[in-house]
């Protein structure tokens, strides 16, 4: 892999950058293209496909990544950049956690995650603003800020995580909670429609009514924002879907009828396997078995599946290269190509960002990564990204 720089600044007289790839996965087709190029102008893809089909100029800046496989930037549709998991000791004051979360965002970008959705943390809206302003490096972000939940619903018993939860009871309070989040700068609305006993957020006890979910969705959609529901167990998921949410997070242990409803309404499921895949306690292992069984049924039925890890940071589950383990976990149930799509195009669709991101089609942002191995043969290679470009700017060079 080598780059031919025409000028010391790394620009070219044509203003075009040509990325050469041994193989290309464009996020649109279910196959890889051999000996391909991606042409980038002004931070956008203008052409992508077989090298023989695309005109290039001798004055173009060439970044030769052969024999690597080039693919769209990776997307994690479910994270919490709280700086540190609040369940871990000494999470520190909010200012300290904000600084930590900025470091985690940078680590994710350098690991090839060029886009992510933070579905609940105090720091996320401010961090998104700082990234948008170019003050700190990080993925393109969609940020929920405070999650909306019924008092005694998910997250409430977990000191200090209730600090990133906004309590709302009843239809009017739900509407007000959405307005407050929008005023604060949220770019997605997160609600909890199920909870566990004691202080467990993961549980199958339904919380909100369909009418309350509907109120949240109506207000969010009026402002052009999507709604993500933390939901598990049949009734919590069913109410979320009937209420009109756009994505169901976790979403396991549901009936065939509820799964049919999800598919019929085009709701995206985000299975979040990493969160429980490596549990050592019986409860976590049982939950993971339920998640995998539910994913298998959803995949067989043709549900829209987007990749999200539920990574919270901290020593046990750091943000960074390891987030990409989700691709391999998904592929234990899905075809490798579908696992790859779940963390590129399908995730972008779930977030409402496609076709701007998620695939390398003309007009899309030039977010791309390169891997030494063919990911369809070894999805763990996604944890070893060699090159990262975001919006046409090289973030990680080989």
């Amino acid at each position: 892999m080598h780059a031919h720089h025409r000028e010391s600044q790394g620009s070219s007289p044509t203003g075009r950058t040509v990325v050469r790839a041994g193989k290309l996965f464009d996020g649109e087709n279910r196959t890889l293209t051999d000996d391909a190029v991606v042409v980038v102008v002004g931070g956008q893809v203008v052409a992508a496909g077989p090298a023989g089909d695309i005109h290039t100029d001798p004055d173009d800046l060439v970044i030769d990544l052969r024999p690597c496989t080039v693919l769209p930037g990776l997307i994690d549709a479910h994270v919490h950049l709280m700086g540190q998991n609040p369940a871990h000791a000494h999470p520190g004051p909010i200012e300290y956690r904000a600084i930590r979360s900025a470091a985690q965002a940078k680590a994710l970008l350098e690991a090839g995650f060029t886009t992510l959705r933070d579905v609940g943390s105090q720091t996320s809206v401010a961090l998104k603003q700082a990234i948008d302003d170019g003050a700190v490096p990080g993925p393109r972000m969609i940020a929920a800020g405070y999650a909306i939940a019924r008092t005694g619903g998910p997250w409430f018993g977990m000191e200090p995580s209730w600090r990133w939860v906004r309590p709302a009871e009843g239809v009017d309070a739900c509407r007000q909670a959405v307005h407050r989040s929008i005023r604060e700068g949220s770019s997605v609305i997160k609600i909890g429609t199920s909870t566990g006993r004691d202080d467990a957020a993961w549980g199958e006890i339904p919380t909100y009514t369909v009418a309350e979910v509907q109120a949240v969705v109506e207000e969010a959609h009026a402002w052009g924002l999507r709604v993500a529901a933390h939901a598990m167990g049949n009734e919590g998921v069913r109410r979320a879907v009937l209420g009109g949410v756009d994505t169901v997070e976790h979403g396991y242990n549901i009936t065939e009828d509820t799964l049919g409803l999800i598919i019929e309404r085009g709701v995206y499921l985000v299975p979040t396997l990493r969160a429980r895949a490596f549990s050592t306690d019986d409860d976590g292992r049982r939950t993971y078995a339920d998640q995998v069984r539910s994913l298998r049924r959803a995949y067989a039925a043709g549900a829209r599946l987007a990749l999200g890890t539920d990574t919270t940071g901290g020593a046990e589950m750091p943000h960074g290269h390891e987030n990409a383990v989700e691709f391999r976990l998904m592929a234990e149930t899905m075809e490798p190509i579908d696992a790859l799509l779940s963390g590129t195009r399908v995730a972008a669709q779930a977030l409402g960002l496609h076709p701007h991101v998620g695939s390398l089609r003309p007009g899309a942002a030039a977010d791309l990564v390169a891997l030494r191995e063919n990911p369809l043969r070894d999805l763990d290679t996604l944890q070893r990204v060699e090159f990262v470009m975001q919006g046409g700017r090289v973030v990680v060079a080989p």
Side-chain angles (χ1 to χ4, degrees), residues 6-7 10-17 59-61:
R6 298 273 163 204
E7 296 172 17
S11 62
S12 74
T14 63
R16 287 157 49 107
T17 299
D59 285 333
D60 291 340
L61 170 69

Side-chain angles (χ1 to χ4, degrees), residues 30 259 269 294-303 305 330 333-339:
R30 297 177 61 82
L259 180 57
L269 267 175
S294 297
L295 173 58
R296 189 167 291 129
R297 286 177 54 219
Y299 179 60
L305 298 159
M330 300 272 280
T333 298
M334 303 162 67
E335 289 292 324
I337 191 74
D338 289 316

Side-chain angles (χ1 to χ4, degrees), residues 241-308:
V241 175
L242 287 174
V245 303
D246 301 283
T247 68
V248 167
E249 316 298 309
H250 322 301
Y252 59 89
N253 288 357
I254 60 175
T255 64
E256 221 157 295
D257 284 355
T258 300
L259 180 57
L261 204 59
I262 284 170
I263 292 165
E264 180 192 313
R265 302 211 171 184
V267 175
Y268 290 84
L269 267 175
V270 187
T272 64
L273 300 178
R274 185 190 183 192
R276 295 290 183 274
F278 306 104
S279 295
T280 49
D281 61 286
D282 288 347
D283 193 40
R285 280 204 294 263
R286 198 164 42 245
T287 299
Y288 187 63
D290 288 344
Q291 284 182 278
V292 171
R293 189 168 52 247
S294 297
L295 173 58
R296 189 167 291 129
R297 286 177 54 219
Y299 179 60
R304 299 174 175 190
L305 298 159
L307 181 141

Side-chain angles (χ1 to χ4, degrees), residues 321 324-329 371 375 377-385:
H321 289 277
V325 73
E326 190 79 15
F327 286 94
R328 175 170 61 76
L329 295 173
L371 313 164
R377 293 215 188 104
D378 176 15
L379 283 161
D380 275 335
T381 194
L382 287 151
Q383 294 179 61
R384 301 182 292 275
V385 164

Side-chain angles (χ1 to χ4, degrees), residues 32 43 55 119 173 272 286 294 329 346 353 355:
L32 271 52
H55 171 75
V119 280
T272 64
R286 198 164 42 245
S294 297
L329 295 173
V346 181
L353 297 177

Side-chain angles (χ1 to χ4, degrees), residues 320-393:
H321 289 277
E322 298 94 333
N323 288 50
V325 73
E326 190 79 15
F327 286 94
R328 175 170 61 76
L329 295 173
M330 300 272 280
E332 285 170 16
T333 298
M334 303 162 67
E335 289 292 324
I337 191 74
D338 289 316
L340 212 48
L341 284 162
S342 76
T344 52
R345 187 189 77 214
V346 181
Q349 289 168 331
L351 273 48
L353 297 177
H354 189 262
H356 180 57
V357 301
S359 53
L360 299 174
R361 56 195 272 171
D367 294 357
L368 50 99
V369 300
L371 313 164
R372 201 169 282 273
E373 310 297 327
N374 176 350
L376 296 182
R377 293 215 188 104
D378 176 15
L379 283 161
D380 275 335
T381 194
L382 287 151
Q383 294 179 61
R384 301 182 292 275
V385 164
E386 304 263 340
F387 172 90
V388 181
M389 176 184 276
Q390 183 191 40
R393 199 176 62 80

Side-chain angles (χ1 to χ4, degrees), residues 26-45:
D26 65 6
E28 293 290 318
N29 298 297
R30 297 177 61 82
T31 53
L32 271 52
T33 306
D34 289 320
D35 189 25
V37 297
V38 180
V39 183
V40 176
V41 178
Q44 285 191 322
V45 175

